[in-house]
Amino acid sequence: MTLNIKMIGMWLFAACMLILFAGCDGKDEGTDRESRAMLVAETVNYSTTTNSITTEGARGVTFRAVISAEEDAAWCSFALTEPLTETGGEAGSPVFIYLQKNGTDEDRTARIDMTFSDGYAVRLEMTQRSAGSTIVYDYERSWAEQPVLREDADFIYKTYYTTLATTEYATGGYRRNYSICYDRAKHVSRWVAYPVHYCYTTPSFERTNDWAFDPNDQLPEIPREDQQYILKGYGSYGYDRGHMLASATRYNTRATNAMTFYATNMMPQSSRFNQGIWATLEGKERDWGPERKKTGGKYLNYDTLYVVTGTEFLTDKTIDNRNGPIAVPSHCWKVMLRQRGNENRPISDFSADELKAVGFLFTNDSDGAATSLREAACTVEEIEKLTGFTFFRNLDPDVAREVKGSYDPGDWPGL
């Protein structure tokens, strides 16, 4: 079976990781967890070349996964480079499914039988759409920062993963670092989405300054020629290599911090603006992150601040770069969401009066540098109208509309 590796979408490939909590809460997974298996996406696009199954279960429980022999499913496999219809593992481990593109004019379905050593069994059905048809992918529902995906030939969606160290506040492990909507035509990401939590910011490693291309050790690949040449600054144009996800928001490990210096996380920002009010907002972002809750004699940090930082281009300004012109954002923005309390529940379980959200919008120039946080604050809905992106897709639509339609400065100390 031949697969187009470059088309594998890592944002789906790795979206199977079980981060099914409102934050990195540090609680033990326990030994009494009920077994469960779910497809990350039950329906995928004709061009999708990977999917995955999340599994849960008590410690020590194992599973077997079998692509049903009664189905003509030679187009999918548990191995990347060869047909493999059976696999297994321990509960809690993901199962990766590799697909061929569907070049036919009909949808096709594969059935996967999952059996666990504790007796749990389920049949999963995965449908791949016919050639030319499209759907909107689902992200893991606990990822409240994820916007709705918008189809564009120049957009590449990708999630970067990292392995966090265990701290007094949270258990480490393999977790999402941040997700991007990268615009290869502009050489700038349209947005970068990420959670803010102590499990990412502690312990306090120093800034790495490891300016680098995305090394493409995670998929999908973003060709180096489609990235900014980031190894040097922008020269005499008056712009900084501005982080979208701030370096100081990812100090848990050196590798986690180094990822914030990828070219795909950079935008040209007016130096006065970047080093002034924007840096102030980044500090407030960390201050507005999770509260601490004392449990069992120690403090744990349950809640998470969900953030999307982005760019808007209302002008055609560019700066020269070795890999082609880089579009200069006319505006830089952020939207934020968190719960009002400090409960360890998925964000999608909360009602509108239990959540708070806010947006910030600046011009990327000296006027933006002179703008206060209070002046820049706005509703998330206003950012949506400007950018065309829809935020916080994992909230109930009615809840989302209410939360995004207003903000209270009193909810955000320092405004």
Side-chain angles (χ1 to χ4, degrees), residues 366-387:
S366 58
D367 288 340
T371 303
S372 68
L373 293 183
R374 186 64 176 267
E375 292 170 329
C378 60
T379 66
V380 175
E381 184 178 70
E382 290 176 77
I383 305 294
E384 289 186 331
K385 289 179 179 178
L386 173 69
T387 64

Side-chain angles (χ1 to χ4, degrees), residues 56 60-61 143 178 223 248 254 257 318:
E56 294 183 47
V61 171
W143 296 14
Y178 60 96
R254 179 179 179 84
N257 182 262
T318 62

Side-chain angles (χ1 to χ4, degrees), residues 153-165:
D154 289 321
F155 289 178
I156 299 175
Y157 294 99
K158 182 168 185 174
T159 295
Y160 297 101
Y161 286 79
T162 188
T163 299
L164 299 178

Side-chain angles (χ1 to χ4, degrees), residues 229-236 239-241 320-321:
Y229 184 85
I230 203 67
L231 305 184
K232 294 183 179 180
Y234 297 135
S236 59
Y239 294 98
D240 290 347
R241 293 171 291 183
D320 293 334
N321 186 257

Side-chain angles (χ1 to χ4, degrees), residues 157-402:
Y157 294 99
K158 182 168 185 174
T159 295
Y160 297 101
Y161 286 79
T162 188
T163 299
L164 299 178
T166 297
T167 71
E168 62 178 309
Y169 299 119
T171 299
Y174 192 67
R175 308 196 189 282
R176 72 193 186 275
N177 195 351
Y178 60 96
S179 301
I180 64 172
C181 170
Y182 185 72
D183 189 331
R184 70 184 108 194
K186 295 186 180 297
H187 291 155
V188 178
S189 287
R190 291 299 190 97
W191 53 252
V192 173
Y194 51 92
V196 177
H197 192 275
Y198 285 108
C199 66
Y200 292 95
T201 58
T202 60
S204 184
F205 276 72
E206 294 183 357
R207 175 185 172 109
T208 62
N209 284 317
D210 286 344
W211 304 97
F213 294 106
D214 174 352
N216 288 317
D217 53 359
Q218 302 184 47
L219 298 173
E221 291 186 6
I222 301 178
R224 179 171 292 195
E225 61 269 21
D226 286 339
Q227 302 180 45
Q228 301 178 31
Y229 184 85
I230 203 67
L231 305 184
K232 294 183 179 180
Y234 297 135
S236 59
Y237 289 95
Y239 294 98
D240 290 347
R241 293 171 291 183
H243 285 69
M244 299 182 74
L245 164 59
S247 166
T249 308
R250 290 294 186 266
Y251 272 177
N252 179 266
T253 67
R254 179 179 179 84
T256 302
N257 182 262
M259 287 182 186
T260 69
F261 287 88
Y262 287 173
T264 51
N265 188 45
M266 295 299 149
M267 57 180 167
Q269 283 188 304
S270 164
S271 295
R272 285 186 55 209
F273 169 55
N274 177 49
Q275 298 173 32
I277 192 63
W278 187 258
T280 300
L281 178 57
E282 291 175 330
K284 285 296 182 183
E285 177 183 299
R286 290 185 289 277
D287 291 342
W288 293 330
E291 299 172 358
R292 295 194 298 168
K293 180 177 180 181
K294 196 168 186 178
T295 302
K298 68 175 181 178
Y299 285 97
L300 297 176
N301 294 278
Y302 288 116
D303 191 22
T304 301
L305 177 70
Y306 299 96
V307 184
V308 188
T309 299
T311 55
E312 185 56 32
F313 302 88
L314 301 185
T315 64
D316 295 326
K317 184 180 293 184
T318 62
I319 57 178
D320 293 334
N321 186 257
R322 185 177 299 185
N323 279 0
I326 304 173
V328 176
S330 60
H331 295 75
C332 301
W333 52 264
K334 287 181 182 283
V335 297
M336 304 181 185
L337 173 73
R338 66 159 294 173
Q339 55 174 286
R340 291 187 178 279
N342 192 25
E343 300 180 32
N344 188 29
R345 288 192 283 147
I347 201 76
S348 56
D349 288 353
F350 287 91
S351 60
D353 60 3
E354 296 176 298
L355 298 171
K356 53 186 178 182
V358 66
F360 294 90
L361 178 64
F362 296 90
T363 56
N364 184 22
D365 53 21
S366 58
D367 288 340
T371 303
S372 68
L373 293 183
R374 186 64 176 267
E375 292 170 329
C378 60
T379 66
V380 175
E381 184 178 70
E382 290 176 77
I383 305 294
E384 289 186 331
K385 289 179 179 178
L386 173 69
T387 64
F389 290 108
T390 301
F391 302 108
F392 310 137
R393 65 162 304 281
N394 285 328
L395 297 181
D396 176 271
D398 291 335
V399 171
R401 277 191 292 273
E402 185 172 346

